[in-house]
Amino acid sequence: MNPLKHVAIIMDGNGRWGLKNKNSRNAGHKAGLKTVEKIIKESIKNKIRYLTLYAFSTENWKRPKNEINFLFSLLDNFLRNRIKELHQQKIRLKIIGNKNFTQKLNKLLISAEKKTLKNKKLQINLALNYGSKFELLNAFKDLKKSNSIINEKNLQKYLSTKDIPDPDLLIRTGNTKRLSNFLLWQLAYSEIFFEKKLWPDFNEKDYNRIIKKFRNIKRNFGNI
Ligand code: FPP
């Protein structure tokens, strides 16, 4: 049985779900947040140590302003209402990506990270304004500046996921098979599951089904 330390998720399909069920993309994001809550709980039950969620990519700025504002207001509310409880559950929140939002949101994110810094039950890495190519370019620049030898171990020190093991498992919901500039370096040997369901329809049972399949895969890492 494969150990499972780190699950990464591309939570795709909110917009389509919202349009189909409520005639509003934003309603899909709201429903998507409920799935986030379910998956956090289920990750703890499964003793998963790291959960990385792709919440907003560097490319998502191309979306209509009203959708962007709605997503950030959801995040703002989530942090205000839930951080105390997450902290009590020994959950650590870490942001990966470039924190260049409004001063108010940046402050909130930094304070949530600080508050939960020492928690060890589950670490949620929330990818916000995250793009893997940007992350890699900056890491290469920093590595060059450091004058250290250019190798994998040293490059890793400059990634936003330093100190976090690479994901064992990537799940993408929403019936789309692509990586969308997410953790391109870190996913080199991850097992990838593309799920037909839209993110708001994804549930604990689906998650456990994938985890069970993952546990039984023969992982070779290039060996035989
Ligand atoms: C992709 O679906 C989803 C997003 C860009 C946002 C993800 C956000 C949430 C799940 C809720 C907020 C989370 C937190 C932690 C506050 P899409 O909109 O691209 O779906 P589509 O492919 O159907 O258009």
Side-chain angles (χ1 to χ4, degrees):
M1 280 244 287
N2 294 313
L4 181 55
K5 264 196 180 162
H6 185 174
V7 178
I9 307 185
I10 303 177
M11 311 180 286
D12 194 18
N14 287 351
R16 276 167 286 163
W17 187 97
L19 284 178
K20 194 174 123 208
N21 294 287
K22 311 254 177 195
N23 207 20
S24 138
R25 289 183 54 85
N26 287 345
H29 294 307
K30 198 170 162 200
L33 186 55
K34 291 199 180 131
T35 306
V36 170
E37 300 268 9
K38 287 183 198 163
I39 296 308
I40 292 174
K41 272 197 199 128
E42 212 53 32
S43 298
I44 292 177
K45 278 195 196 156
N46 277 288
K47 299 196 166 48
I48 288 159
R49 190 58 190 83
Y50 302 92
L51 176 66
T52 302
L53 300 173
Y54 205 7
F56 196 86
S57 74
T58 44
E59 288 76 27
N60 286 150
W61 293 110
K62 294 176 196 155
R63 295 188 176 206
K65 209 151 188 218
N66 106 31
E67 184 167 336
I68 294 175
N69 289 342
F70 186 81
L71 275 167
F72 286 111
S73 73
L74 263 187
L75 176 65
D76 192 289
N77 277 329
F78 174 77
L79 292 172
R80 280 177 207 286
N81 299 328
R82 298 280 290 108
I83 202 68
K84 199 172 157 199
E85 208 180 311
L86 294 181
H87 182 48
Q88 280 164 354
Q89 290 171 35
K90 303 268 180 290
I91 295 174
R92 175 178 175 191
L93 185 74
K94 182 182 160 64
I95 308 304
I96 62 166
N98 209 357
K99 278 194 231 81
N100 60 354
F101 310 109
T102 60
Q103 219 186 356
K104 196 173 125 226
L105 182 58
N106 282 344
K107 255 179 114 174
L108 201 56
L109 291 168
I110 291 166
S111 118
E113 284 186 304
K114 243 180 158 176
K115 188 180 175 77
T116 61
L117 186 68
K118 295 203 173 125
N119 293 340
K120 297 225 173 333
K121 186 131 206 141
L122 170 72
Q123 176 169 330
I124 301 173
N125 305 307
L126 197 58
L128 281 178
N129 194 18
Y130 174 86
S132 186
K133 288 188 176 179
F134 182 76
E135 177 192 32
L136 279 167
L137 278 175
N138 282 324
F140 279 117
K141 281 184 203 162
D142 291 341
L143 176 58
K144 191 170 169 236
K145 256 194 257 160
S146 75
N147 281 327
S148 337
I149 304 165
I150 299 190
N151 60 24
E152 282 186 30
K153 198 167 155 247
N154 285 337
L155 182 80
Q156 233 130 271
K157 291 181 193 159
Y158 297 98
L159 295 175
S160 57
T161 51
K162 71 174 159 78
D163 306 325
I164 303 171
D166 287 343
D168 304 291
L169 168 63
L170 169 76
I171 301 170
R172 180 178 186 138
T173 58
N175 203 18
T176 305
K177 296 188 175 88
R178 57 174 168 256
L179 293 180
S180 302
N181 202 13
F182 187 48
L183 303 175
L184 300 178
W185 174 280
Q186 296 88 336
L187 292 173
Y189 268 103
S190 311
E191 305 299 331
I192 303 182
F193 284 75
F194 293 109
E195 171 68 33
K196 286 204 169 112
K197 279 192 178 179
L198 305 174
W199 178 248
D201 287 330
F202 190 72
N203 60 33
E204 296 90 339
K205 221 172 135 192
D206 301 312
Y207 192 37
N208 283 315
R209 167 179 41 84
I210 291 175
I211 290 175
K212 196 170 165 200
K213 271 198 189 159
F214 164 85
R215 295 241 189 239
N216 291 308
I217 290 172
K218 189 167 179 283
R219 302 188 79 198
N220 292 335
F221 299 98
N223 206 331
I224 51 168

